Amino acid sequence: MENPDERGVDLTRCCYADLRGGTYRLAVLPWGATEPHNLHLPYLTDCLLAQSLAVDAAARLWRERGVRAVVLPPVTLGSQNPGQWDKPFCLHARYETQRAVLGDIVASLRRQGLSRLIVLNGHGGNSFRNMVRDLAFEYPDFLIAVSDSFGIVPQRDFFEERDDHAGEMETSLMMHYHPELVNLDEAGDGESKPFAIPSLNEKVGWAPRHWDKATIDSGVGNPRKASAEKGAHYVKPVIEKLAQLFTEVGQGELY
């Protein structure tokens, strides 16, 4: 592997020789979606970013503290809004599907002696709390924690415009991690239309947005001010906080 800090950390790149005979307590599961991201980012943007952040945090943990957290391959099945379902090759996963996938992963890890899992969610449409409560009932000796990668560090100190979907933040992070997959020349403006019901815009109530009516290019937020430098600046505190979370969940007790 090119980066020795990732050896035995990134399961998409390491082999059995890297992991055989090791002692592990913590696994990290990036979880994204398969969906359009404006016109300039790949369908797997949420998966790629969650995976990259998790690997960087796990590598830092291994390098600085000698604690190994293994990052599993990302799950590509996300929950989608109405209107997104009709976009070509956008995949919607029901609660029951996501619950079954997560349950099988937990059962596999538990059988192998692991007792801790962090789900690093990169897709705003996903919600894991109810299924984690279900699994806590089934496996009371197995701790599952969930972290939303896009909510760890506020955007306001790093970006000029707020990113809701495929805007300045996500584009900057992709330019930092995977510049070969970004074609900013093709990007739409990411203009969006709010609800006609003021209380929904004020978050007094919630309803799913109809993506065909809320956005023209599937983006919500302007990507034009994105840069790799902004992405690199933003990921530093995110990785620091994730590494701390990995340490505390992997080594500490819940109560």
Side-chain angles (χ1 to χ4, degrees), residues 26-28 51 72-73 86 94 125 127 136 150 160-161 169 171 191 202 211 236 253:
L26 175 67
V28 182
Q51 172 79 8
L72 301 171
D86 301 321
R94 301 169 185 266
S127 180
F150 45 83
E160 299 176 53
E161 298 185 20
M169 180 189 71
T171 302
E191 294 183 4
E202 295 168 8
W211 224 242
K236 288 182 180 179
E253 298 299 328

Side-chain angles (χ1 to χ4, degrees), residues 88-126:
F89 303 106
C90 181
L91 304 182
H92 171 63
R94 301 169 185 266
Y95 170 88
E96 295 84 0
T97 303
Q98 292 185 318
R99 166 66 174 81
V101 170
L102 183 58
D104 284 349
I105 291 172
V106 169
S108 297
L109 297 175
R110 185 173 178 270
R111 182 178 180 85
Q112 297 157 18
L114 276 79
S115 61
R116 307 292 171 95
L117 174 69
I118 293 175
V119 179
L120 184 59
N121 177 38
H123 176 59
N126 291 335

Side-chain angles (χ1 to χ4, degrees), residues 15-195:
C15 58
Y16 184 39
D18 300 320
L19 301 178
R20 183 178 55 179
T23 301
Y24 310 99
R25 196 181 186 198
L26 175 67
V28 182
L29 178 63
W31 200 307
T34 303
E35 60 171 358
H37 271 73
N38 200 309
L39 305 176
H40 65 293
L41 296 180
Y43 271 60
L44 292 185
T45 289
D46 293 341
C47 301
L48 292 168
L49 293 182
Q51 172 79 8
S52 297
L53 289 167
V55 169
D56 271 0
R60 174 171 176 166
L61 187 64
W62 175 245
R63 181 174 63 249
E64 295 182 358
R65 307 190 185 189
V67 177
R68 181 174 288 174
V70 175
V71 180
L72 301 171
V75 178
T76 62
L77 299 173
S79 177
Q80 307 292 354
N81 282 310
Q84 287 176 299
W85 305 336
D86 301 321
K87 297 284 190 295
F89 303 106
C90 181
L91 304 182
H92 171 63
R94 301 169 185 266
Y95 170 88
E96 295 84 0
T97 303
Q98 292 185 318
R99 166 66 174 81
V101 170
L102 183 58
D104 284 349
I105 291 172
V106 169
S108 297
L109 297 175
R110 185 173 178 270
R111 182 178 180 85
Q112 297 157 18
L114 276 79
S115 61
R116 307 292 171 95
L117 174 69
I118 293 175
V119 179
L120 184 59
N121 177 38
H123 176 59
N126 291 335
S127 180
F128 295 96
R129 293 188 180 186
N130 285 350
M131 62 185 78
V132 168
R133 290 188 180 103
D134 289 345
L135 289 166
F137 181 80
E138 293 181 35
Y139 304 108
D141 58 341
F142 195 102
L143 173 61
I144 307 171
V146 180
S147 176
D148 293 325
S149 62
F150 45 83
I152 296 172
V153 174
Q155 297 183 32
R156 60 181 177 269
D157 295 331
F158 298 87
F159 304 103
E160 299 176 53
E161 298 185 20
R162 187 181 182 279
D163 183 356
D164 192 334
H165 187 252
E168 186 179 351
M169 180 189 71
E170 280 194 305
T171 302
S172 293
L173 266 63
M174 284 296 292
M175 293 173 78
H176 168 63
Y177 278 122
H178 301 284
E180 74 282 0
L181 299 179
V182 180
N183 189 348
L184 200 55
D185 292 337
E186 293 185 354
D189 293 334
E191 294 183 4
S192 62
K193 183 179 180 181
F195 287 110

Side-chain angles (χ1 to χ4, degrees), residues 219-245:
V220 181
N222 185 8
R224 297 294 179 181
K225 296 180 180 179
S227 71
E229 291 73 22
K230 288 180 179 178
H233 186 47
Y234 181 73
V235 301
K236 288 182 180 179
V238 176
I239 292 167
E240 181 178 353
K241 287 182 176 292
L242 282 175
Q244 185 66 28
L245 174 68

